[in-house]
Amino acid sequence: MFTALHPPARPDPYLDLDAYDPAADLMVLNLGPQHPSTHGVFRVKLVLDGEVIVKAVSYPGFLHRGVEKLCEKLTYANVTPIFDKNDYIAPMLNEQAVNMAFEKLLGLEVPRRARWLRTLLAEMQRIASHLIAVGTFALDVGGAIGGGASVFMYAFRDRDRVLDLFEELTGCRFHYNTHQVGGNRHDVPPGWDRRVLAEMDAIESALPDYVTLTAANAIFRDRTVGVGVLGRDLALELGLGGPIGRASGVDLDLRRDAPYHCYDEVEVRVPTFTEGDCYARFMVRYHELVESIRLVRQLVQGIPEGPIAALKPTKGPTHVKIKEGQAYVGIESPRGELGTYLIAGGNKGMSPYRLKIRPPSLHALATIPYLLPGNTLSDAIAILGSLDPVMGEVDR
Amino acid sequence: MGMDFVMNHVWLRPLFMSVLVVTAVMTTCAWSIWFERKLSARMQNRLGPTIVGPAGLLQPLADALKMLRKEILIPRDADPWLFRLAPPLVLFCTVAALAVVPWSETIYIADLDVGILWVLALAGLMLLPIWIAGWASNNKYALFGGMRAVAQGISYEIPLLLSAMVPVILAGSLNLKDIVRFQHDHGWFVLWPPGIGLVAFVVFFVTSLAEANRIPFDVPEAESELIAGISVEYTAMNLGLFPMAEYVHTLISSAVAATLFLGGWDGPFFDATWYDGVVWMVLKTGVLFVFIYVLRWSLVRFRSDQLMYACWVWLLPLALGLVGAAAVWVKLTQGQG
């Protein structure tokens, strides 16, 4: 119905404001860290010409907890629970990423049942995470007192279905600590698979509501189509995979292209868009949601028999020692490639010497100086929401 | 003496009526907040207010008490007098429009010959205190909210006015009561002239949504980007007056739309006597009012430049065309200029 604003193809993030149009009455606006729509404590300094953004400078770091440094003091088993707090929207994936790095250095063969279970948990977590992404994006576009809030509430209702299942499995809704070096800690309770299938049906039946309230709505499309276009080249330059990259035509999904867990045993279909705008990013997440529901159905019906851990499950810290070595493990988190780079050998082999996390959200936020200029303040919020950053993971 | 004396007295009657109408409307608005919260909760799988009173019915009272007990904070750099002035002025400008809304043949405050003009003028005047609030807060977000409100208000006023002119032209009067009487005799304007009346009603309804800053047109207080827009620095009852004014404004918009296009108090079963017609008027207003709520909780909001685009490119030519069409219709059917 309405044309989108057309920002410059590739804004200059280091724009010299003194050289900018001297007649323009520029205004500096601080977006955050207490702003309700920055998805956590995140500050963007916006230089505005009227309501159009001329320059955007991002200042992450308000949620810095020193996780990487902490890892150098903790034993390998103790690392897992604090990793739940990194990407707190998708804690399962964090646990998996870090434990896979340990296992890789140890050369542990994780039992097939554990790997299958990890695949299943990862996909269920992806559903929960993408539901939040869809809901909060609608909230950003539609407002907390409006139609966006309705989508948000529906999304949280459906996310709770997944969390209920996780609670049944692990005893926790959020910070599960269900992975350990060499396998999983909690086995599938009886009847759980049937309940998973039932909840998947419930979530799937609610999906048309999301489309009706968002993608099928002309106002929603006006607000998102052509807004915050991220080119394929820039996405590659900034190291963006995941839904953001796939919305910009970067056809990369580690589940399919570098299979881990049991992803080589199932078919992963990867939705890819080329537009690179907010709408495409939203739709990629929506289609991944549908795809993940399909995968969960398939996975939960074929859980193989066998042990769920290579090492004996213990209540206390397992005595895992890694003397030396380096390993990188990248897995496909709901936000992109979640990497863990581990140098072993700290604390007499009890702790990592250095552990570096590659958080996909940090790379997503790197697009802000490029995406925001040329758009209005309203679009800035929509773009920020479409990037779906999690500050716990960005600031670590 | 008694009721007849009051109803025929030259100033006791308006006094009595204004107390009656304003009390009724303000009470309705307070509980419409409860209703909206319940309705939105049902739409969103929530329960809404349940704690204060049965089914949370006393929640508006609790909210008002909370607002009254809060500290009034005035930012150091704000303009203290303008800052204090804005919220009561906003409420005044909205409530004053009630003066000319006829609820039935006899329930009205003033039978003003330029009734519709009064309503539209006050709707325009309301921008002033909103802009005052945005400016006096000395906050960038509030300033944005004020700027957007003024830009939006000025733009949408034109199609609002033009679409309101359609019934005026057809009925040949600016008096809201005359317009209703005309509809009583000739049929509601939403039904005739075929097409013109219906489109004019839609344009009027949409633009009055924009005037009342309701979703999808609530860019001045877009809480996802401007946090709270103009009211971001306000506390206590000063803060409470803004949404209160917004609810009153929405109610009056619905009432005026019902008066202009849906035949006001006119309807079957009830004669337009003392108070009978008020049933129809309240019913019509209520339907529009609830419809605005349902819209609010199911739509996302426009961007402010898209809002301007929609106004100047679509609504304004449409409204102009409607006025022309209505004039031609009158010329053709009545055969005299």
Side-chain angles (χ1 to χ4, degrees), chain B residues 122-276:
Chain B
L122 279 167
L125 197 62
M126 208 185 99
L127 296 173
L128 185 69
I130 285 180
W131 168 242
I132 290 176
W135 177 258
S137 299
N138 201 4
N139 177 305
K140 286 169 184 169
Y141 289 104
L143 185 69
F144 263 121
M147 287 294 285
R148 285 181 179 188
V150 171
Q152 175 185 341
I154 289 174
S155 309
Y156 274 82
E157 209 149 82
I158 302 166
L160 179 75
L161 227 136
L162 290 174
S163 57
M165 279 309 111
V166 172
V168 168
I169 290 170
L170 292 171
S173 170
L174 284 165
N175 188 322
L176 285 172
K177 287 190 75 184
D178 284 349
I179 293 175
V180 174
R181 282 194 207 105
F182 189 85
Q183 292 183 76
H184 180 71
D185 296 340
H186 298 89
W188 301 356
F189 285 137
V190 74
L191 303 175
W192 76 274
I196 301 174
L198 185 64
V199 176
F201 171 65
V202 171
V203 171
F204 183 83
F205 188 69
V206 167
T207 46
S208 56
L209 270 185
E211 279 284 307
N213 294 338
R214 305 302 290 204
I215 275 186
F217 305 105
D218 70 331
V219 292
E221 55 175 81
E223 64 288 323
S224 50
E225 57 234 39
L226 296 184
I227 306 167
I230 49 162
S231 53
V232 72
E233 291 284 4
Y234 281 92
T235 58
M237 208 55 203
N238 280 344
L239 174 68
L241 288 184
F242 284 110
M244 200 196 279
E246 202 181 288
Y247 277 89
V248 176
H249 193 139
T250 314
L251 188 69
I252 294 175
S253 297
S254 315
V256 172
T259 309
L260 284 179
F261 294 98
L262 301 183
W265 67 77
D266 174 47
F269 311 124
F270 294 102
D271 237 359
T273 51
W274 213 125
Y275 54 84
D276 280 358

Side-chain angles (χ1 to χ4, degrees), chain A residues 2 27-28 30 35 37 51 140 143-147 149-150 153-154 157 213 217 222-223 376 378-379, chain B residues 43-46 140-141 144 148 215 223-226 296-304 306 309-310:
Chain A
F2 311 117
M27 179 169 103
V28 175
N30 254 315
H35 195 282
S37 300
E51 223 180 297
D140 285 339
I145 315 173
S150 300
M153 292 290 168
Y154 297 154
R157 171 197 65 196
L213 282 168
N217 184 323
D222 286 338
R223 282 296 308 276
T376 63
S378 315
D379 286 340
Chain B
M43 286 171 73
Q44 301 180 340
N45 291 292
R46 295 185 288 118
K140 286 169 184 169
Y141 289 104
F144 263 121
R148 285 181 179 188
I215 275 186
E223 64 288 323
S224 50
E225 57 234 39
L226 296 184
R296 182 186 196 185
W297 293 98
S298 37
L299 291 180
V300 297
R301 82 164 63 82
F302 280 110
R303 204 170 55 208
S304 48
Q306 290 170 336
Y309 188 90

Side-chain angles (χ1 to χ4, degrees), chain A residues 75-110:
Chain A
T75 64
Y76 284 102
N78 283 345
V79 163
T80 313
I82 67 163
F83 263 62
D84 280 330
K85 283 91 179 170
N86 279 352
D87 179 354
Y88 44 74
I89 305 294
M92 284 289 182
L93 280 300
N94 291 268
E95 291 181 7
Q96 291 180 359
V98 74
N99 279 305
M100 281 167 71
F102 300 157
E103 286 151 10
K104 190 172 181 183
L105 266 194
L106 278 170
L108 264 181
E109 178 67 29
V110 181

